[in-house]
Amino acid sequence: MALNAISIYDSDFYVFMPLRNFASQLTGSVDYAISGAWMLRGALLLCAVLFVVDLSQSNRWLLRLWFTIGLVAGSIAFLGLLQKATGAQMIFWQTAPVWGATTFFATYYYHGNAGAYLNLVWPLTAGLAVRAFTTPSHPGMRALWMSMLIVTLAAVLANTSRMAQLIALLLLIVLCVQLGPALLRRLSRVEKNIAVAGAIAILLTLFAVGQATHLEQPLNRWQSVSERISSDARWRALRIAIGGLRDIGFFGFGPGTFRAVFPSYNNVANKPAPGTWRFLHEDYLQTMLEWGWLGSSLWALLLFGGIAIGIRSYKKSAGQGWTPRRRLLQPLVIVVLAGVALHALIDFPLQIASIQLYVATYLGLCWGSSFWKRVNSG
């Protein structure tokens, strides 16, 4: 599709300039530049999946990868909270753009993407905190991972994305049901009392952080949710995009070409969606438009097949001699992948490069878990 592109899109004049391709009788992308760049990124993401499949076979490197994710999560969450506390107008305290205030958080311009990222990482920081308190660990490591957990949870609360907060709540419930009973069985009565006191201290800390980081902003958005849903332009854009499914064929319009194709459908719609649409707030429909029925099916196989393999491997793990760190990490990875898959129904997290990298990493852990048997710690 990319190499046999039939045109290139001129975004200044909103026209498709035809190209001379090498196989005119075959289908091709409607924009050579965008599809070529996307194919390069897609190839690198698939390489990342394979790399993590291999890396995860080592207990030592699996833990190092987990530590890296936790440390980066804490730093990005801390940046977002610092922005909120200081009233920053833009990322890294730059001047606000000419088109007005944005819903940025940390290094993300759109709060929905920031929330999707936080939901990909805070359960893993929670896992590191649980591991620090259930295994012989240095007090400094326990303090570090508990601090990271508090910071990432506070960032979820401070972020103004309602969908992200709802998914965070669902993730919390699932993790409590999945890991709570096993964790409680391992604790003595004194340790349980300490855990309850620690949970109360965490809640009070989150409340204090929320006061400093203007937690009332996301709360105000929840109060106006009924008004915003009915008037949200994304539903109009969704209806227009559904009309384009009849034209996608087997291979779609080309990887990454939604931003070039959508204006053509929007301009002829009875009720066009206002504004410029670089992404559709529905990842699966956008993927079908760009990749067609074949390509979107293959991407679905990679994502949902990886989740299914991860679940199957985890169920069989008792007889395969998994180490405790693998037993703890695997359900966290499965849950966060399910969370981002749910978030993709109403936003576009799977179109953002940094989130794609994390999803590719987690998919590598899921696909690689089928080989996690009695591996050594090297």
Side-chain angles (χ1 to χ4, degrees):
M1 289 290 291
L3 295 176
N4 194 49
I6 60 177
S7 62
I8 188 168
Y9 183 63
D10 189 330
S11 58
D12 293 330
F13 297 96
Y14 303 101
V15 295
F16 293 91
M17 304 299 296
L19 297 176
R20 180 180 297 177
N21 53 1
F22 63 88
S24 57
Q25 69 277 12
L26 299 178
T27 187
S29 171
V30 298
D31 191 300
Y32 171 76
I34 295 177
S35 292
W38 216 114
M39 288 306 296
L40 177 60
R41 184 201 297 182
L44 293 174
L45 288 171
L46 292 177
C47 288
V49 173
L50 295 176
F51 175 75
V52 175
V53 167
D54 183 67
L55 186 73
S56 66
Q57 304 311 309
S58 165
N59 265 334
R60 180 183 302 151
W61 280 101
L62 180 69
L63 187 60
R64 289 174 177 174
L65 177 63
W66 194 358
F67 282 175
T68 302
I69 291 173
L71 290 173
V72 174
S75 64
I76 293 180
F78 180 75
L79 173 62
L81 292 173
L82 194 60
Q83 290 168 341
K84 288 281 187 179
T86 58
Q89 296 182 342
M90 195 57 190
I91 298 173
F92 301 122
W93 292 266
Q94 300 161 332
T95 305
V98 294
W99 59 84
T102 61
T103 57
F104 72 94
F105 186 88
T107 55
Y108 291 89
Y109 286 96
Y110 175 50
H111 60 182
N113 295 331
Y117 167 77
L118 291 171
N119 284 333
L120 278 172
V121 294
W122 77 257
L124 270 71
T125 62
L128 287 168
V130 169
R131 182 179 181 275
F133 280 90
T134 56
T135 60
S137 301
H138 190 275
M141 294 297 292
R142 294 181 176 180
L144 172 64
W145 295 122
M146 184 56 66
S147 300
M148 292 296 178
L149 174 59
I150 293 174
V151 168
T152 51
L153 286 177
V156 172
L157 294 175
N159 183 36
T160 55
S161 172
R162 295 183 295 264
M163 186 63 179
Q165 291 172 346
L166 178 60
I167 291 177
L169 178 61
L170 295 176
L171 294 180
L172 181 61
I173 294 173
V174 171
L175 292 178
C176 288
V177 172
Q178 175 67 30
L179 302 177
L183 181 61
L184 290 176
R185 284 195 298 268
R186 297 179 60 178
L187 299 177
S188 64
R189 175 172 296 183
V190 174
E191 290 174 329
K192 289 178 182 179
N193 293 334
I194 295 175
V196 171
I200 295 174
I202 291 174
L203 291 176
L204 293 175
T205 303
L206 291 176
F207 178 77
V209 172
Q211 292 293 314
T213 56
H214 304 287
L215 188 58
E216 72 278 358
Q217 294 177 1
L219 293 178
N220 291 337
R221 286 178 59 84
W222 274 107
Q223 294 175 356
S224 60
V225 63
S226 59
E227 303 173 3
R228 292 178 177 269
I229 287 180
S230 58
S231 60
D232 200 320
R234 75 181 68 185
W235 309 122
R236 194 178 301 176
L238 187 62
R239 288 193 292 269
I240 296 171
I242 291 175
L245 289 178
R246 62 180 181 272
D247 301 324
I248 64 174
F250 209 49
F251 298 101
F253 294 109
T257 56
F258 172 79
R259 71 188 73 174
V261 171
F262 183 76
S264 301
Y265 288 95
N266 194 33
N267 292 338
V268 298
N270 292 329
K271 294 182 178 180
T276 301
W277 293 81
R278 188 179 180 187
F279 304 106
L280 184 67
H281 285 254
E282 217 285 7
D283 267 329
Y284 304 110
L285 180 54
Q286 179 172 338
T287 302
M288 285 191 286
L289 290 172
E290 295 178 350
W291 294 82
W293 299 110
L294 175 61
S296 58
S297 298
L298 293 176
W299 282 118
L301 177 63
L302 177 66
L303 175 60
F304 295 105
I307 295 175
I309 290 294
I311 294 173
R312 188 187 68 174
S313 300
Y314 180 71
K315 289 182 176 180
K316 296 169 59 178
S317 64
Q320 294 177 329
W322 279 13
T323 57
R325 69 186 61 169
R326 297 181 187 275
R327 291 281 301 169
L328 177 60
L329 176 61
Q330 188 67 1
L332 300 176
V333 170
I334 294 170
V335 167
V336 296
L337 282 175
V340 76
L342 178 61
H343 199 159
L345 288 169
I346 199 171
D347 262 324
F348 49 93
L350 298 180
Q351 306 299 327
I352 305 303
S354 60
I355 296 178
Q356 289 171 346
L357 179 59
Y358 275 80
V359 171
T361 300
Y362 295 160
L363 286 175
L365 294 175
C366 285
W367 285 102
S369 65
S370 59
F371 305 104
W372 291 357
K373 297 183 179 179
R374 295 186 180 274
V375 296
N376 56 41
S377 60

